[in-house]
Structure formats: C-alpha cells, structure tokens
Amino acid sequence: MNNDMLALLNKVKSGEVSPHQALLSLKMEPFADLGYAKADLHRSLRQGADEVIYGEGKTPEQITGIITAMRERSFENILVTRIQQETADYIHGKTDDFIYHPIARLGVAYSRSRDPLGSVVIASGGTSDIPVCEEAALTAETLGSRVTRLYDVGVAGLHRLLSNSGVLMDAKAVVAVAGMEGALASVIGGLCDCPVIAVPTSVGYGASFGGLSALLCMLNSCASGVSVVNIDNGFGGGYLAAMINRQASVTLG
C-alpha cells in the first residue's frame, strides 16, 4: 500500500472524509495511462502487493516511465523482472535508487527494508538452476518474506537435501526449482507439511525438451500439496510463495 492510500485511510479514521468519499477517491484513478502502458496503482488493494514490471520486450525508456509514474505516487520496492545489464544501466542513470541483480536479471527501484515475515525456502536441484532460484528468492524477499536458500540439493545426492530437513519442515512455503527430470519437487513434497511450488527449468540434455520433461514430471507428482508454475518462472514461484507465507504468518503469528 502506497503513502497516498495510507494518508486516505488516516483521513477516514480521523473523520475528515467518509468511507464513501474515500471509496470514490480510490475509484477516480485506478491506473496511470502512459499511452504505451497503464500502470496499475491499486493492485496492492486487490492483491496485497504492488504491480511488478515485466521488463522483457519493453524499452528502457518505457520501463523508466512506469517506474517514474509509480514513484510519483510514493510506491517503494518496485520490482522489474527479466532485464539485461544494458537496460539496468539506463534505468540506473535515470533513477536515483535502483539495484540490479544480474544473475536473476531482476532489479528493484526505491528499495526499502522491512521486517521479514515467516519462512520461505528456495531449493534448487543443481547449481545451473540458480538464476531461476534467485528470481524466486529476490521476488519473495522484495514482497516481505524471510528467505532461506538451499542450492544444489538435488536427488542425485539425496543426503544434501535430508541434511536440511529441519529448515524445510519449518517453512511456510517451499519453492522447488529443478530441471532434468524434475524429481526434487516430489521428494520435498513428501518431507514438508507446507505448500510446495514446483518450478521446472530448461536445464538438461536433449530429451529434457527445454524443461518440458521436468514440467510433466512435476505435474504428475504423487506427493500431495505440490503445485506447478511455468518453465523458468522463478518470479511466479516466488510471488506465490510470498502470498502463502504472508497469509500463514498473519494467521499463525
């Protein structure tokens, strides 16, 4: 929730405006029309998190324009996914607060620290899956989750995963990222009592078909409580984990 919304809520509490007037005010500008984009200003009201900018296919100028429109309305922790170093350099030159994470190809504008909630675990089958893992981890962290990274704990050396059983069992949500045959998600699903978000990656040899093999394996998991997002969609896995973690943390304390 941005500062404008908080100020409006405070006015309702103080009696300066009625709830009806506040609702009308919110309806007046649900998005900012930039011509090439319509920045969603009220997504946090509907979903509990601000709009995320998908950078791939957008020009650096367009991305910067969206960031500027959001910042003018006091948005913080503006997440920009799937951008290259050149785009990040342009944004950094036009924006006074932008942090880029090259491994994840992800940036955060106007980053502000917050007290992290709960526990989200990001687990990778192998080191080659780390770029997708980092996209998931940084997304969950930006949305306010406490994140633990367990990298290179795939089923080829199961003892590496089992040595972290305590961390896994304490999690509110686990993101299992794996290519090849994608078996990691099923194993974690059999160990944890929390939701497991499986993220297939395009890592693997020819018969992995660019991640399709891992995707189908995860969809056919015999472990209960495993859901699956699209191939290489670390953002989707991290976002979903953060939503689950936030609800579980608020409910359980």
Side-chain angles (χ1 to χ4, degrees), residues 19-37:
H20 179 69
Q21 290 172 321
L23 181 60
L24 286 176
S25 177
L26 289 174
K27 287 181 176 179
M28 288 297 291
E29 192 180 8
F31 60 87
D33 192 343
L34 306 179
Y36 54 84

Side-chain angles (χ1 to χ4, degrees), residues 98-232:
F98 187 74
I99 301 171
Y100 181 60
H101 304 271
I103 294 177
R105 294 188 296 154
L106 175 152
V108 183
Y110 302 100
S111 176
R112 298 293 179 268
S113 61
R114 61 181 79 179
D115 293 331
L117 289 174
S119 176
V120 169
V121 171
I122 312 293
S124 82
T127 304
S128 297
D129 301 310
I130 287 179
V132 177
C133 286
E134 278 300 294
E135 185 180 50
L138 291 165
T139 296
E141 286 177 334
T142 301
L143 295 177
S145 293
R146 179 180 290 106
V147 173
T148 301
R149 293 162 170 82
L150 298 179
Y151 290 169
D152 197 25
V153 292
V155 299
L158 198 55
H159 57 290
R160 300 173 299 179
L161 180 67
L162 297 178
S163 67
N164 291 284
S165 295
V167 176
L168 290 167
M169 293 178 182
D170 190 50
K172 299 288 197 300
V174 177
V175 182
V177 183
M180 302 290 187
E181 84 289 3
L184 180 65
S186 292
V187 175
I188 292 178
L191 293 173
C192 299
D193 63 353
C194 67
V196 175
I197 300 107
V199 184
T201 73
S202 52
V203 171
Y205 297 103
S208 68
F209 296 107
L212 182 60
S213 177
L215 172 65
L216 294 176
C217 180
M218 291 171 170
L219 286 171
N220 285 286
S221 173
C222 64
S224 302
V226 175
S227 62
V228 186
V229 298
N230 211 341
I231 298 169
D232 291 334

